[in-house]
Amino acid sequence: MIRPSTTFELPPGAEATGPPEARGLARDQVRLLVAGREALHDTRFDRIGDHLRPGDLLVVNTSATRAAAVDGEHARLGPVVVHLSTHLPDDAWVVEVRSAPDAAERVRDCAVGDEIRLSDGTLVNLLAGDGERLWTTQPLGTPPGRPIRYGYLSGRWPLESYQTVFADPLAPGASAEMPSAGRPFSTDLVTRLVSAGIRLAPIALHAGVSSLETGEAPPAEPYRVPESTAALVNWTRRTGGRVIAVGTTVTRALESATHPEGQVRPARGWTDLVISRERPVRVVDGLITGWHDPEASHLLMLEAVAGPGLVRDAYAHAVEHGYLWHEFGDSCLFLP
């Protein structure tokens, strides 16, 4: 896999340790860096409409977040945390096994045939895997758990903290980790944007775990692009509006449904698409995103949308000016 050209060191304390509400902010009051062709502009997320135009289209992910972390007892290794990454059509799961109690590190000593007893008594068999990180189990149903939490968070937050205003909890499927680019939107902000002539359209992509190793491509994920969204994207491009993806999950879904001539068609299924300089975007003109770790594969997608130079400048600016990283952190709007 090719590597992103954007490199940086994440300074200590750069991670958001909890939701902005815990810091005394509304969800739409996090910081926003607008990275455009001419300049970088520091602002606040609830002012994002100042940088959009009537006729622009925001495409959002309606996937809800599920409680995907479950405590377990590995027959040979002792206490572990099992992350339920992807629910397969036959009710089996793709899982990641991490260290207890806080899932701080990946457990590297698992093997095919290992058994893990979950906290509700369910027995998990690791039937197949890559020998490193992700494993396939037998059919399990949906064991009860809590939201996935990594070590940079200061506490355990309720599942409600991990839902965006676009999440549809009644729809089939859900994400192991929140499609976090949509989290800074509030209902009031959405109302103001729509009133200003900015359109919204949904897709669904159920994201798996994001704890990829350096240089590792994201696994296949289920997605759906409705007919109405495909039509609206094509109409927006014909009439001169900009198609702005709210997050890397939206970019992956939209581009998976886009044919080489640039037309988006209704689609559903599984996508293993990796967007990069080798497979650039075809319909996405801009991208709203949180801040990603050094060498994350998401940086390849950002560079494909905005160009390596603008992404490097934005990340250097964010590090220098103390932007906060990860799902509860600050945001960036790329408008190349």
Side-chain angles (χ1 to χ4, degrees), residues 1 4 8 12 14 20 25 41 64 102 108 122 141-142 161-162 179 201 219-220 233 246 258 263 316 332:
M1 183 175 175
F8 62 96
L25 300 174
H41 181 74
D102 293 328
R108 298 174 182 273
T122 301
T142 306
S161 295
Y162 293 85
V233 169
V246 180
T258 303
Q263 285 287 306
C332 183

Side-chain angles (χ1 to χ4, degrees), residues 228-305:
S228 59
T229 294
L232 195 50
V233 169
N234 294 331
W235 184 84
T236 298
R237 290 179 62 79
R238 283 198 306 271
T239 55
R242 297 175 295 187
V243 177
I244 298 169
V246 180
T248 56
T249 58
V250 171
T251 305
R252 196 181 198 199
L254 269 187
E255 294 293 333
S256 297
T258 303
H259 287 240
E261 72 276 12
Q263 285 287 306
V264 178
R265 299 176 187 175
R268 68 188 310 158
W270 291 71
T271 178
D272 57 1
L273 177 64
V274 177
I275 298 171
S276 68
R277 298 187 296 275
E278 296 176 340
R279 197 305 200 176
V281 292
R282 293 167 176 160
V283 296
V284 170
D285 300 303
L287 176 63
I288 297 170
T289 179
W291 299 97
H292 299 285
D293 278 335
E295 298 205 34
S297 62
H298 292 96
L299 294 172
L300 287 170
M301 182 186 294
L302 269 53
E303 292 176 355
V305 173

Side-chain angles (χ1 to χ4, degrees), residues 91-110:
D91 268 348
W93 285 88
V94 176
V95 303
E96 183 183 37
V97 184
R98 299 188 67 88
S99 60
D102 293 328
E105 298 178 353
R106 175 168 61 85
V107 174
R108 298 174 182 273
D109 301 323
C110 292

Side-chain angles (χ1 to χ4, degrees), residues 61-318:
N61 189 355
T62 59
S63 179
T65 308
R66 57 180 144 74
V70 187
D71 292 322
E73 184 76 16
H74 190 289
R76 178 168 45 85
L77 303 173
V80 295
V81 177
V82 177
H83 285 175
L84 304 168
S85 178
T86 306
H87 200 185
L88 300 175
D90 64 354
D91 268 348
W93 285 88
V94 176
V95 303
E96 183 183 37
V97 184
R98 299 188 67 88
S99 60
D102 293 328
E105 298 178 353
R106 175 168 61 85
V107 174
R108 298 174 182 273
D109 301 323
C110 292
V112 170
D114 283 358
E115 294 184 343
I116 301 172
R117 179 74 66 181
L118 300 183
S119 54
D120 69 339
T122 301
L123 184 64
V124 175
N125 297 300
L126 303 183
L127 300 181
D130 56 9
E132 295 289 334
R133 192 174 67 87
L134 297 178
W135 302 89
T136 303
T137 74
Q138 81 281 18
L140 290 177
T142 306
R146 60 180 181 277
I148 286 177
R149 165 184 177 264
Y150 293 111
Y152 52 80
L153 294 178
S154 60
R156 291 184 176 181
W157 308 99
L159 185 59
E160 291 74 19
S161 295
Y162 293 85
Q163 305 294 6
T164 73
V165 295
F166 308 114
D168 181 358
L170 300 181
S175 293
E177 296 187 21
M178 175 174 58
S180 56
R183 195 188 191 281
F185 285 91
S186 64
T187 52
D188 287 345
L189 175 57
V190 170
T191 300
R192 292 200 303 275
L193 292 174
V194 171
S195 299
I198 296 153
R199 297 178 176 85
L200 280 83
I203 62 91
L205 183 142
H206 303 309
V209 296
S210 64
S211 51
L212 306 178
E213 300 291 303
T214 298
E216 184 180 358
E221 295 165 321
Y223 78 106
R224 183 173 71 91
V225 176
E227 182 175 359
S228 59
T229 294
L232 195 50
V233 169
N234 294 331
W235 184 84
T236 298
R237 290 179 62 79
R238 283 198 306 271
T239 55
R242 297 175 295 187
V243 177
I244 298 169
V246 180
T248 56
T249 58
V250 171
T251 305
R252 196 181 198 199
L254 269 187
E255 294 293 333
S256 297
T258 303
H259 287 240
E261 72 276 12
Q263 285 287 306
V264 178
R265 299 176 187 175
R268 68 188 310 158
W270 291 71
T271 178
D272 57 1
L273 177 64
V274 177
I275 298 171
S276 68
R277 298 187 296 275
E278 296 176 340
R279 197 305 200 176
V281 292
R282 293 167 176 160
V283 296
V284 170
D285 300 303
L287 176 63
I288 297 170
T289 179
W291 299 97
H292 299 285
D293 278 335
E295 298 205 34
S297 62
H298 292 96
L299 294 172
L300 287 170
M301 182 186 294
L302 269 53
E303 292 176 355
V305 173
L310 185 56
V311 177
R312 285 196 300 268
D313 290 347
Y315 270 78
H317 184 95

